[in-house]
Amino acid sequence: MISAVVFCGLEKNSPHSGVIRLDRVLQIVCDCLEVDFEETKLLYKSRKKENVFARHLYAHFSRKYTRESLENIAEYIKKNHTTIIHSDRAISDWISTDKIVKSVCIKIDKKIKKELSKIESNIDDEIINNIIKKYENGEAKNKFSRK
């Protein structure tokens, strides 16, 4: 199946690419955990349990829901790519053994999916509007018409 993003020609890294941004993933994680966004992002050397856990969750969900490389995910919180790999694995392990972590992850997952559905809805509207404009301007040609 062709992605709607590819189909309508939107750029991969455009604000309307249908993919949630790293800052939004961290914001959702921080909101769900009720920790300070700026403190979690900027105090990257902090070993406070809530900040470390938030960064682990950020890594896990960034890998799951963004198209960013490990390096970009890590750079956003001033870590290196191996930290992101470790965090992702740690959360995956904890989900299978800890009911509280699992429930937090389900809550975050639902919020991110809700955010993505908003983005996709906006993209669908944009695709439809682009197609209508092309037909109104005579730019679009029917592939199946006889020449």
Side-chain angles (χ1 to χ4, degrees):
M1 183 173 161
I2 297 175
S3 161
V5 174
V6 173
F7 178 74
C8 74
L10 295 174
E11 292 183 31
K12 180 180 175 183
N13 296 323
S14 78
H16 303 289
S17 66
V19 178
I20 196 161
R21 295 186 335 257
L22 295 175
D23 61 330
R24 192 65 189 121
V25 172
L26 185 59
Q27 186 66 57
I28 290 169
V29 168
C30 289
D31 289 348
C32 287
L33 296 178
E34 298 177 359
V35 297
D36 184 51
F37 173 80
E38 292 300 323
E39 186 176 305
T40 302
K41 182 182 176 205
L42 299 176
L43 297 178
Y44 55 93
K45 291 188 178 184
S46 169
R47 292 188 181 179
K48 288 169 77 175
K49 187 176 181 179
E50 58 271 13
N51 291 342
V52 172
F53 186 54
R55 287 193 297 264
H56 280 320
L57 289 168
Y58 157 80
H60 176 75
F61 287 106
S62 293
R63 291 219 45 208
K64 185 174 181 179
Y65 287 110
T66 72
R67 296 180 184 167
E68 297 292 338
S69 66
L70 290 170
E71 289 79 13
N72 288 346
I73 294 169
E75 185 178 300
Y76 187 72
I77 57 169
K78 296 176 179 59
K79 298 291 181 186
N80 75 36
H81 74 282
T82 57
T83 303
I84 302 305
I85 294 169
H86 166 76
S87 295
D88 185 33
R89 287 180 182 162
I91 292 296
S92 295
D93 291 344
W94 291 339
I95 287 171
S96 62
T97 59
D98 190 323
K99 290 179 182 178
I100 294 171
V101 172
K102 185 175 183 174
S103 68
V104 168
C105 287
I106 289 170
K107 182 179 176 183
I108 293 169
D109 203 50
K110 284 180 182 178
K111 283 194 174 198
I112 291 174
K113 285 180 180 176
K114 185 175 179 181
E115 185 85 11
L116 284 171
S117 69
K118 288 180 194 173
I119 293 170
E120 288 171 3
S121 174
N122 290 339
I123 288 177
D124 290 343
D125 292 343
E126 186 175 334
I127 290 169
I128 291 167
N129 290 334
N130 285 341
I131 291 170
I132 290 170
K133 284 178 188 175
K134 285 181 181 180
Y135 274 99
E136 286 175 348
N137 296 334
E139 296 170 22
K141 295 182 180 168
N142 188 341
K143 292 182 191 178
F144 304 107
S145 66
R146 294 183 184 187
K147 295 179 182 179

